[in-house]
Amino acid sequence: MGFWNWPWRARSPSGFSSSSTAEEVTEGIDASHLTAVVTGATNGIGKETARVLALRGAKVIIPSRTMESGMKVKESLLEQNPDAKLHVMEMDLSSLSSVDSFARSFNASNKRLNILINNAGIMACPFQLSRDGIELQFATNHLGHFLLTNLLLEKMKATAKETGIQGKIINVSSTAHKRSDGSWFDLDKINDSSRYKPFAAYSHSKLANILHANELSRRLQEEGSKVMANSLHPGLIITNIGRYLNINVVVLSLAALAKPFLKSVPQGAATSCYLALHPNATDITGKYFVDCNEATPSLKARDQALGKRLWEFSEELLKRRSRQP
């Protein structure tokens, strides 16, 4: 038992901690009237998030780069829960045209959307550009989610207004955001292969996740919308998001030392599920969570002017794409 899991730790405001699992934080909750989209639900904490939301009765849409891989995930989840309401739709988050296509199909075929969990991500990959000519980590982790959220937002607003149930937009960030100084939201910098550092690029994209949620929350509050937007750090978890990392003896040794502080996948999905379903997460927006409790992100993540600048930069990237032949 690691330090963070010792029973004598002080009880947190939410009653949950780093050792809480997604099933534990949603125990007894009926989500049968809710519809959720969970990106990155084909593996890791995204898959566990989708599983637990479906376990609580929610209709869960699983975007997948290919229908084949998505259907395999659906089948594996149905083996555990034959009553799960799961739907697979094709979407490549790194391709803006694919995100467009997904959103059009979703909006045409689904009457409501209550929950959007922007969970998908890649980490520390070698330098490469997306199909739209944008550094791949920023394109996937931030810009794809920025566009997806914008395209589904009217559906979420309408659902919240019609049902009286708050909509929930949840951005899965990382404590790695603290390594970003916020100065890289410029296409020339992001796309400069000579200055590219894989983990630094990941950190910039994770800072963007928090700033996006905060600025979105501010805009929604100004409108008087019943849609909430928050961000979170899921914890340190060994999943295939780290597939690009160069694992060597030193890293393995450090991982062994860090083992008491590592989370399991069910623990890693807990905060997403808490924000999505728990009644104590009602009326909370523009906040950052760790271990199912509100936490304080970096100073840059709380910079409202930087959040507005990122929003404008993201919109400009989308306009740039639309101007391309």
Side-chain angles (χ1 to χ4, degrees):
M1 177 180 289
F3 170 82
W4 298 106
N5 298 332
W6 277 99
W8 43 259
R9 284 192 72 211
R11 191 170 180 81
S12 67
S14 71
F16 300 112
S17 69
S18 61
S19 62
S20 300
T21 66
E23 283 198 29
E24 289 170 351
V25 304
T26 60
E27 186 175 359
I29 294 174
D30 178 11
S32 59
H33 55 301
L34 303 177
T35 299
V37 171
V38 183
T39 69
T42 54
N43 54 65
I45 63 173
K47 182 178 179 181
E48 176 67 2
T49 298
R51 183 189 74 81
V52 172
L53 294 183
L55 181 67
R56 301 307 177 212
K59 173 184 175 182
V60 181
I61 288 79
I62 299 174
S64 177
R65 275 187 296 239
T66 68
M67 289 299 294
E68 181 183 8
S69 61
M71 290 304 296
K72 286 180 180 178
V73 171
K74 178 180 176 179
E75 289 167 8
S76 71
L77 293 176
L78 286 174
E79 287 177 3
Q80 302 172 59
N81 177 16
D83 297 323
K85 295 178 287 186
L86 302 167
H87 302 267
V88 176
M89 296 178 67
E90 191 168 347
M91 184 181 78
D92 179 354
L93 199 58
S94 69
S95 165
L96 297 176
S97 62
S98 179
V99 174
D100 271 330
S101 179
F102 169 87
R104 284 196 301 270
S105 296
F106 177 87
N107 285 329
S109 59
N110 290 270
K111 184 178 180 182
R112 294 174 177 169
L113 178 60
N114 306 93
I115 301 164
L116 171 60
I117 302 182
N118 292 320
N119 166 84
I122 56 174
M123 181 172 73
C125 61
F127 180 82
Q128 54 189 304
L129 298 179
S130 70
R131 296 179 190 176
D132 304 288
I134 300 164
E135 188 277 314
L136 192 60
Q137 292 191 78
F138 190 81
T140 303
N141 298 353
H142 167 66
L143 194 62
H145 282 133
F146 180 83
L147 176 60
L148 178 65
T149 302
N150 285 356
L151 295 175
L152 298 181
L153 194 54
E154 290 306 314
K155 176 78 71 175
M156 295 195 72
K157 290 179 186 177
T159 299
K161 186 174 181 179
E162 177 187 346
T163 64
I165 301 170
Q166 287 183 355
K168 302 289 183 69
I169 297 172
I170 300 158
N171 284 1
V172 178
S173 179
S174 167
T175 192
H177 81 272
K178 296 177 180 178
R179 295 189 59 178
S180 175
D181 63 5
S183 67
W184 282 72
F185 301 143
D186 174 283
L187 190 59
D188 290 336
K189 289 184 178 179
I190 288 175
N191 281 2
D192 186 348
S193 60
S194 67
R195 301 167 69 182
Y196 181 76
K197 295 181 180 179
F199 196 78
Y202 175 72
S203 300
H204 301 323
S205 72
K206 293 292 101 179
L207 174 62
N209 292 153
I210 302 175
L211 291 170
H212 171 219
N214 290 351
E215 177 63 10
L216 176 60
S217 171
R218 186 189 67 79
R219 290 168 179 249
L220 290 169
Q221 284 181 288
E222 282 188 351
E223 295 176 10
S225 173
K226 292 184 178 294
V227 178
M228 310 290 110
N230 294 289
S231 58
L232 65 92
H233 166 53
L236 300 176
I237 310 135
I238 300 298
T239 68
N240 76 340
I241 192 175
R243 60 189 177 277
Y244 294 108
L245 294 176
N246 181 24
I247 303 297
N248 55 34
V249 174
V250 174
V251 172
L252 290 174
S253 298
L254 291 173
L257 291 172
K259 190 173 182 179
F261 306 100
L262 293 176
K263 285 188 177 184
S264 65
V265 168
Q267 291 168 340
T271 306
S272 294
C273 290
Y274 174 83
L275 287 172
L277 298 184
H278 202 281
N280 287 354
T282 305
D283 296 324
I284 296 175
T285 189
K287 302 299 183 183
Y288 172 73
F289 278 73
V290 177
D291 299 335
C292 301
N293 289 278
E294 188 178 333
T296 303
S298 71
L299 193 61
K300 288 293 182 182
R302 290 174 276 146
D303 186 334
Q304 189 174 112
L306 183 60
K308 290 179 181 179
R309 191 154 71 246
L310 171 66
W311 190 283
E312 291 167 358
F313 174 54
S314 303
E315 287 186 328
E316 180 56 35
L317 289 177
L318 297 182
K319 291 175 184 175
R320 171 180 171 272
R321 183 269 312 228
S322 67
R323 292 195 295 265
Q324 291 177 343

